[in-house]
Amino acid sequence: MCKVINACLFFGLLIGIPLHALGASPEKEPREIMGQIFGAIRVLLPMSASLKELEDPANRESVRPSLLQIAESADEIMSHGRYQQQSVQYLSRSLGRNAREALSAYDLGRYEATQFHIQRMTEHCIACHSRLPSGDSPLAADFVKGPELNAMDPASRGAIQVATRRFDDAFVTFEALFQNPKEHPAMMLKPLRDYLTVAIRVKKDFSRAIHTLDTFAQRPDLWRVLRADVDDWVGALREVRSVPLPENHLDAARRLVEKAHPSNYFPGTRGALVYFITASSHLHRYLDANPTDKRRVSEAYYLLGITEFRIAPDYWLSLADFYLETAIRTAPKSASARDAYDWLEEETILGYTGSGGTHLPDDVAAQLKELRALISQD
């Protein structure tokens, strides 16, 4: 089973997908662990829609145990013998860390920070549910009740709708946000990326996305660079819409990444976004077919790392690091592994650079050392 699909094993239960449908035998213990995570998130997500709910002392007996349950269950999955796949380990570690940060903020009475961390858990679901073409999930229709969902800001509401595979509802939410004159476009950059990701990778509805962006471009408050980006997105959508589905998804993705790079040198420019999202769609399709050539699989993960950095540079969950590490571990002696290490090392070092200098945590430094040794082996 492809490593990315294994990530879905961990989060499938969030929308009621049975484990056997994801290629796993229905062992009782893993099902119980993931059921505990499902139950805890189902308690927390509606409450995160309202600071009043989080602040209410009467809800403390629900909020705190739920956060602790997620953290402990994530630890259990990491230590469970059947779940040693890198993707499951990575997502479990990230989810557990997120839950502990939410718990720490909650205990300190920092309810806005608690709300932030709880809602960021949805990015784990988005990472899985927006990879491949898919329909809406009727099982998730009532995951968050209407009044609670409507109380959220549109960007958060749209993200939760994507996370729970309510893609048509997410389209409506995002499109209303893009046309709201009270919301500045500077607050819409992440929703625009989420919208395009769903339109291209999940729904493959290029025409609707083109119409939405053409309408968005009429706003008088777009600054010059963003207006140019939107024009580039529309042009790229028209281009990729006319290209037949390729026989070789990896080769198609490579061409798109090569095409995207020259137009993405200026840091503020997002004009190549559509090419990167489309390339990632091809890469997920390629890996979903369970290829066996390790060097080509390594290249696919390397390209996924590049595209993820461009698509989701400010997401709480950094799958780019995971993709690059997987590229290295899959075929350590390949050119893709060496390129992936260079990207990962630089992004890691720069990510820990601040006013206090650069100090890599011991576990991060040890991980880089291990990966460097892999690509340097004789």
Side-chain angles (χ1 to χ4, degrees):
M1 181 182 289
C2 151
K3 290 182 178 66
V4 177
I5 289 187
N6 284 335
C8 292
L9 182 66
F10 180 73
F11 295 106
L13 207 63
L14 292 181
I15 53 169
I17 298 175
L19 292 178
H20 64 77
L22 294 167
S25 58
E27 293 183 4
K28 183 177 180 180
E29 185 181 353
R31 183 180 291 276
E32 287 178 348
I33 296 171
M34 288 187 282
Q36 290 169 344
I37 293 175
F38 170 76
I41 289 182
R42 185 147 196 166
V43 169
L44 292 169
L45 200 54
M47 287 192 184
S48 75
S50 168
L51 282 177
K52 184 178 179 180
E53 291 289 319
L54 286 176
E55 293 171 356
D56 190 343
N59 290 329
R60 187 171 184 80
E61 292 185 2
S62 298
V63 174
R64 198 178 192 286
S66 296
L67 289 170
L68 189 60
Q69 181 68 74
I70 293 172
E72 292 178 346
S73 295
D75 288 345
E76 286 184 75
I77 286 182
M78 288 181 65
S79 63
H80 196 283
R82 284 199 57 231
Y83 290 96
Q84 296 306 311
Q85 299 97 334
Q86 294 176 45
S87 56
V88 176
Q89 292 286 304
Y90 176 82
L91 289 168
S92 299
R93 185 167 59 250
S94 178
L95 183 64
R97 182 172 59 246
N98 203 169
R100 285 188 171 85
E101 288 169 342
L103 182 59
S104 176
Y106 186 73
D107 285 344
L108 291 172
R110 297 171 54 215
Y111 299 111
E112 288 188 2
T114 305
Q115 182 184 54
F116 172 85
H117 289 300
I118 292 173
Q119 292 185 4
R120 284 306 164 274
M121 292 179 190
T122 61
E123 290 187 7
H124 296 77
C125 310
I126 292 172
C128 183
H129 298 159
S130 64
R131 297 177 307 106
L132 295 164
S134 175
D136 282 20
S137 170
L139 298 174
D142 296 323
F143 194 91
V144 180
K145 299 295 183 181
E148 297 158 342
L149 195 64
N150 291 335
M152 294 181 176
D153 66 273
S156 298
R157 183 164 68 248
I160 287 175
Q161 287 166 333
V162 175
T164 55
R165 292 182 58 218
R166 303 298 297 173
F167 301 117
D168 288 335
D169 292 340
F171 265 170
V172 172
T173 296
F174 286 137
E175 287 165 357
L177 170 63
F178 301 152
Q179 289 307 302
N180 185 349
K182 296 181 180 179
E183 293 284 347
H184 194 276
M187 306 303 295
M188 300 179 189
L189 298 182
K190 185 176 182 297
L192 282 165
R193 293 198 301 270
D194 287 346
Y195 180 85
L196 285 170
T197 298
V198 172
I200 295 169
R201 292 202 313 215
V202 180
K203 302 295 286 187
K204 299 193 69 65
D205 195 339
F206 299 100
S207 297
R208 181 168 182 169
I210 290 169
H211 174 74
T212 296
L213 292 177
D214 277 337
T215 304
F216 181 68
Q218 304 306 311
R219 291 184 60 130
D221 51 357
L222 300 191
W223 60 96
R224 204 169 86 90
V225 171
L226 180 57
R227 190 177 301 280
D229 289 339
V230 174
D231 290 342
D232 287 343
W233 296 343
V234 171
L237 284 167
R238 290 197 171 103
E239 177 186 338
V240 297
R241 177 181 61 177
S242 65
V243 177
L245 198 65
E247 293 184 7
N248 191 307
H249 287 288
L250 177 57
D251 291 346
R254 187 190 307 112
R255 289 193 295 269
L256 282 167
V257 171
E258 291 171 351
K259 183 173 186 174
H261 267 296
S263 62
N264 212 49
Y265 286 151
F266 177 60
T269 302
R270 294 156 294 270
L273 179 62
V274 166
Y275 292 132
F276 284 120
I277 295 174
T278 307
S280 71
S281 178
H282 287 307
L283 293 166
H284 283 302
R285 285 168 177 256
Y286 171 75
L287 291 169
D288 192 54
N290 300 318
T292 57
D293 186 324
K294 288 189 176 181
R295 287 182 176 269
R296 286 176 66 81
V297 171
S298 175
E299 181 186 6
Y301 277 112
Y302 164 60
L303 293 175
L304 265 178
I306 292 176
T307 59
E308 190 69 18
F309 274 127
R310 301 302 189 185
I311 296 168
D314 56 0
Y315 280 23
W316 188 255
L317 175 67
S318 178
L319 278 175
D321 292 349
F322 163 72
Y323 291 141
L324 293 176
E325 181 180 345
T326 304
I328 297 166
R329 295 188 183 279
T330 299
K333 301 303 293 181
S334 66
S336 296
R338 292 190 294 273
D339 290 341
Y341 179 81
D342 290 342
W343 268 75
L344 181 60
E345 182 181 51
E346 176 164 315
E347 291 294 333
T348 301
I349 291 173
L350 294 180
Y352 282 96
T353 299
S355 59
T358 301
H359 175 71
L360 296 181
D362 290 343
D363 60 333
V364 175
Q367 181 185 37
L368 285 178
K369 182 179 179 180
E370 177 194 357
L371 296 175
R372 186 164 57 249
L374 286 175
I375 65 172
S376 300
Q377 286 176 352
D378 295 331

